Amino acid sequence: MWHPICNPVVRLRGAVSKLSLASVHLCSWDPAQREKEAKRLTILGKPGMATILGGDFNSYPHRIGDEKVLLPDWSQVKDRSHFEQRTVPRGTRRVSDYRPDAILAGEHTGQPPLFTELGHYAATRLGQPGALEPTASVWRTDQGPRQRIDRIYVTPQLAPALTRLEVIATDEVIEASDHAAVMATFSLSRLRRALVPTATAA
């Protein structure tokens, strides 16, 4: 991958099965590379695994109708290189790259998603619309409006343990980065219950 994955595997006290954690940063300049990287991440969602992964995906959510912000209007983005880095062909047009999210959290030919994207889950299942706040370009203006390109995914059995997802863009965060922080809070007891003995080693 363009940036190495940080992938510690832990065992929560009181849980039987292991939990795989992954911090990722997909390629910022090549949609084809991001697609390959998303495919590589699917190994963390193979049957029996329990995984929490998050990071900067440099691409957009695939369920556009559920989002709080519109995708970039590429006619208004002056940085041509950013256009090349963040769009993919669809027929005779170029559209915003959503393929990594579709690979990780999309349904395909009747198959359920490999992962649950927690921003969408918190907004639609927990009634937390703030979970869909944009995360990138909190102070930049050259790449179009703010977008939700930083996301957290979990294997589906872990999603019910989520209690809250927050997008944090305080002055301290903005001083450190042009990205907001994304924080997921879980119920420890529910997380332990989700790590059932039948899960294979991570």
Side-chain angles (χ1 to χ4, degrees):
M1 294 181 69
W2 181 245
H3 296 282
I5 302 172
C6 179
N7 182 207
V9 177
V10 301
R11 191 189 302 275
L12 298 182
R13 183 172 295 165
V16 177
S17 299
K18 294 177 182 178
L19 176 62
S20 185
L21 306 173
S23 174
V24 304
H25 189 166
L26 301 196
C27 180
S28 62
W29 52 270
D30 184 359
Q33 176 69 18
R34 285 194 296 272
E35 184 176 24
K36 290 178 183 177
E37 292 170 339
K39 294 279 190 183
R40 175 69 178 86
L41 291 172
T42 63
I43 197 169
L44 298 178
K46 64 184 180 181
M49 290 197 71
T51 298
I52 301 172
L53 70 93
D56 180 350
F57 287 84
N58 278 313
S59 52
Y60 307 96
H62 78 283
R63 288 174 285 225
I64 305 307
D66 294 334
E67 293 296 312
K68 291 187 74 171
V69 294
L70 297 175
L71 290 174
D73 177 352
W74 292 105
S75 69
Q76 301 300 310
V77 177
K78 296 179 180 178
D79 183 345
R80 173 61 191 272
S81 66
H82 190 62
F83 169 80
E84 293 295 340
Q85 294 160 5
R86 292 289 181 85
T87 63
V88 294
R90 181 190 283 172
T92 59
R93 301 183 302 127
R94 294 284 289 274
V95 298
S96 298
D97 178 21
Y98 60 85
R99 292 182 302 188
D101 186 54
I103 290 166
L104 298 174
E107 297 182 26
H108 297 283
T109 60
Q111 295 292 319
L114 275 175
F115 295 96
T116 299
E117 194 271 297
L118 291 185
H120 185 265
Y121 182 90
T124 60
R125 300 288 293 275
L126 303 181
Q128 299 174 11
L132 296 178
E133 289 292 329
T135 63
S137 295
V138 293
W139 48 259
R140 290 184 69 159
T141 59
D142 59 324
Q143 296 181 343
R146 295 182 180 188
Q147 296 292 325
R148 195 170 73 88
I149 66 172
D150 305 276
R151 298 183 293 272
I152 300 174
Y153 298 81
V154 297
T155 45
Q157 78 274 29
L158 303 183
L162 182 74
T163 60
R164 184 164 185 77
L165 188 128
E166 300 171 80
V167 176
I168 303 168
T170 61
D171 290 344
E172 291 82 3
V173 171
I174 292 170
E175 185 177 348
S177 176
D178 68 323
H179 290 247
V182 181
M183 183 171 73
T185 303
F186 296 89
S187 161
L188 185 56
S189 60
R190 279 186 263 165
L191 199 55
R192 284 193 184 108
R193 285 196 296 272
L195 296 169
V196 293
T198 54
T200 58

